[in-house]
PDB file of all heavy atoms in Angstrom:
ATOM      1  N   LYS A1402      89.777  99.919 113.314  1.00  0.00           N
ATOM      2  CA  LYS A1402      90.630  99.387 112.251  1.00  0.00           C
ATOM      3  C   LYS A1402      90.404  97.888 112.088  1.00  0.00           C
ATOM      4  O   LYS A1402      90.395  97.140 113.063  1.00  0.00           O
ATOM      5  CB  LYS A1402      92.086  99.686 112.571  1.00  0.00           C
ATOM      6  CG  LYS A1402      93.047  99.462 111.419  1.00  0.00           C
ATOM      7  CD  LYS A1402      94.446  99.939 111.790  1.00  0.00           C
ATOM      8  CE  LYS A1402      94.452 101.422 112.125  1.00  0.00           C
ATOM      9  NZ  LYS A1402      95.811 101.914 112.478  1.00  0.00           N
ATOM     10  N   GLY A1403      90.237  97.475 110.845  1.00  0.00           N
ATOM     11  CA  GLY A1403      89.993  96.080 110.544  1.00  0.00           C
ATOM     12  C   GLY A1403      88.539  95.680 110.598  1.00  0.00           C
ATOM     13  O   GLY A1403      88.194  94.571 110.166  1.00  0.00           O
ATOM     14  N   ARG A1404      87.686  96.542 111.111  1.00  0.00           N
ATOM     15  CA  ARG A1404      86.263  96.250 111.210  1.00  0.00           C
ATOM     16  C   ARG A1404      85.406  97.192 110.367  1.00  0.00           C
ATOM     17  O   ARG A1404      84.395  96.773 109.804  1.00  0.00           O
ATOM     18  CB  ARG A1404      85.800  96.325 112.666  1.00  0.00           C
ATOM     19  CG  ARG A1404      86.502  95.339 113.583  1.00  0.00           C
ATOM     20  CD  ARG A1404      85.875  95.327 114.977  1.00  0.00           C
ATOM     21  NE  ARG A1404      85.974  96.625 115.630  1.00  0.00           N
ATOM     22  CZ  ARG A1404      84.922  97.356 116.015  1.00  0.00           C
ATOM     23  NH1 ARG A1404      83.688  96.910 115.806  1.00  0.00           N
ATOM     24  NH2 ARG A1404      85.107  98.521 116.621  1.00  0.00           N
ATOM     25  N   PHE A1405      85.789  98.449 110.304  1.00  0.00           N
ATOM     26  CA  PHE A1405      85.026  99.447 109.563  1.00  0.00           C
ATOM     27  C   PHE A1405      85.748  99.789 108.266  1.00  0.00           C
ATOM     28  O   PHE A1405      86.984  99.773 108.204  1.00  0.00           O
ATOM     29  CB  PHE A1405      84.858 100.731 110.371  1.00  0.00           C
ATOM     30  CG  PHE A1405      83.994 100.609 111.595  1.00  0.00           C
ATOM     31  CD1 PHE A1405      83.519  99.390 112.045  1.00  0.00           C
ATOM     32  CD2 PHE A1405      83.654 101.749 112.307  1.00  0.00           C
ATOM     33  CE1 PHE A1405      82.729  99.293 113.174  1.00  0.00           C
ATOM     34  CE2 PHE A1405      82.862 101.671 113.439  1.00  0.00           C
ATOM     35  CZ  PHE A1405      82.403 100.446 113.871  1.00  0.00           C
ATOM     36  N   THR A1406      84.981 100.124 107.252  1.00  0.00           N
ATOM     37  CA  THR A1406      85.533 100.536 105.970  1.00  0.00           C
ATOM     38  C   THR A1406      84.858 101.818 105.520  1.00  0.00           C
ATOM     39  O   THR A1406      83.627 101.887 105.451  1.00  0.00           O
ATOM     40  CB  THR A1406      85.340  99.453 104.901  1.00  0.00           C
ATOM     41  OG1 THR A1406      85.960  98.236 105.318  1.00  0.00           O
ATOM     42  CG2 THR A1406      85.957  99.898 103.582  1.00  0.00           C
ATOM     43  N   ILE A1407      85.660 102.816 105.211  1.00  0.00           N
ATOM     44  CA  ILE A1407      85.126 104.071 104.713  1.00  0.00           C
ATOM     45  C   ILE A1407      85.218 104.073 103.190  1.00  0.00           C
ATOM     46  O   ILE A1407      86.168 103.551 102.608  1.00  0.00           O
ATOM     47  CB  ILE A1407      85.863 105.277 105.327  1.00  0.00           C
ATOM     48  CG1 ILE A1407      85.129 106.581 105.016  1.00  0.00           C
ATOM     49  CG2 ILE A1407      87.321 105.335 104.872  1.00  0.00           C
ATOM     50  CD1 ILE A1407      85.642 107.772 105.814  1.00  0.00           C
ATOM     51  N   SER A1408      84.225 104.649 102.543  1.00  0.00           N
ATOM     52  CA  SER A1408      84.206 104.710 101.093  1.00  0.00           C
ATOM     53  C   SER A1408      83.399 105.926 100.659  1.00  0.00           C
ATOM     54  O   SER A1408      82.772 106.605 101.483  1.00  0.00           O
ATOM     55  CB  SER A1408      83.631 103.420 100.489  1.00  0.00           C
ATOM     56  OG  SER A1408      82.299 103.204 100.920  1.00  0.00           O
ATOM     57  N   ARG A1409      83.429 106.179  99.367  1.00  0.00           N
ATOM     58  CA  ARG A1409      82.668 107.294  98.839  1.00  0.00           C
ATOM     59  C   ARG A1409      82.248 107.002  97.418  1.00  0.00           C
ATOM     60  O   ARG A1409      82.909 106.251  96.691  1.00  0.00           O
ATOM     61  CB  ARG A1409      83.480 108.592  98.909  1.00  0.00           C
ATOM     62  CG  ARG A1409      84.742 108.577  98.045  1.00  0.00           C
ATOM     63  CD  ARG A1409      85.662 109.735  98.401  1.00  0.00           C
ATOM     64  NE  ARG A1409      85.022 111.016  98.201  1.00  0.00           N
ATOM     65  CZ  ARG A1409      85.397 112.147  98.789  1.00  0.00           C
ATOM     66  NH1 ARG A1409      86.435 112.151  99.628  1.00  0.00           N
ATOM     67  NH2 ARG A1409      84.744 113.270  98.544  1.00  0.00           N
ATOM     68  N   ASP A1410      81.151 107.599  97.008  1.00  0.00           N
ATOM     69  CA  ASP A1410      80.673 107.526  95.641  1.00  0.00           C
ATOM     70  C   ASP A1410      80.378 108.951  95.216  1.00  0.00           C
ATOM     71  O   ASP A1410      79.309 109.491  95.526  1.00  0.00           O
ATOM     72  CB  ASP A1410      79.436 106.642  95.538  1.00  0.00           C
ATOM     73  CG  ASP A1410      78.989 106.430  94.100  1.00  0.00           C
ATOM     74  OD1 ASP A1410      79.348 107.227  93.221  1.00  0.00           O
ATOM     75  OD2 ASP A1410      78.270 105.443  93.853  1.00  0.00           O
ATOM     76  N   ASN A1411      81.321 109.557  94.533  1.00  0.00           N
ATOM     77  CA  ASN A1411      81.164 110.958  94.159  1.00  0.00           C
ATOM     78  C   ASN A1411      80.045 111.163  93.148  1.00  0.00           C
ATOM     79  O   ASN A1411      79.448 112.240  93.094  1.00  0.00           O
ATOM     80  CB  ASN A1411      82.483 111.511  93.623  1.00  0.00           C
ATOM     81  CG  ASN A1411      83.535 111.660  94.698  1.00  0.00           C
ATOM     82  OD1 ASN A1411      83.219 111.761  95.879  1.00  0.00           O
ATOM     83  ND2 ASN A1411      84.795 111.682  94.298  1.00  0.00           N
ATOM     84  N   THR A1412      79.769 110.142  92.344  1.00  0.00           N
ATOM     85  CA  THR A1412      78.652 110.231  91.407  1.00  0.00           C
ATOM     86  C   THR A1412      77.332 110.411  92.147  1.00  0.00           C
ATOM     87  O   THR A1412      76.461 111.167  91.711  1.00  0.00           O
ATOM     88  CB  THR A1412      78.598 108.986  90.519  1.00  0.00           C
ATOM     89  OG1 THR A1412      79.814 108.860  89.789  1.00  0.00           O
ATOM     90  CG2 THR A1412      77.443 109.085  89.541  1.00  0.00           C
ATOM     91  N   GLU A1413      77.199 109.719  93.269  1.00  0.00           N
ATOM     92  CA  GLU A1413      76.000 109.828  94.094  1.00  0.00           C
ATOM     93  C   GLU A1413      76.113 110.926  95.141  1.00  0.00           C
ATOM     94  O   GLU A1413      75.158 111.170  95.880  1.00  0.00           O
ATOM     95  CB  GLU A1413      75.713 108.501  94.780  1.00  0.00           C
ATOM     96  CG  GLU A1413      75.419 107.356  93.825  1.00  0.00           C
ATOM     97  CD  GLU A1413      74.149 107.594  93.038  1.00  0.00           C
ATOM     98  OE1 GLU A1413      73.179 108.134  93.602  1.00  0.00           O
ATOM     99  OE2 GLU A1413      74.123 107.241  91.838  1.00  0.00           O
TER     100      GLU A1413
END
Side-chain angles (χ1 to χ4, degrees):
K1402 193 174 300 181
R1404 299 188 299 119
F1405 293 7
T1406 302
I1407 191 169
S1408 60
R1409 64 193 300 158
D1410 186 339
N1411 290 337
T1412 301
E1413 297 296 322

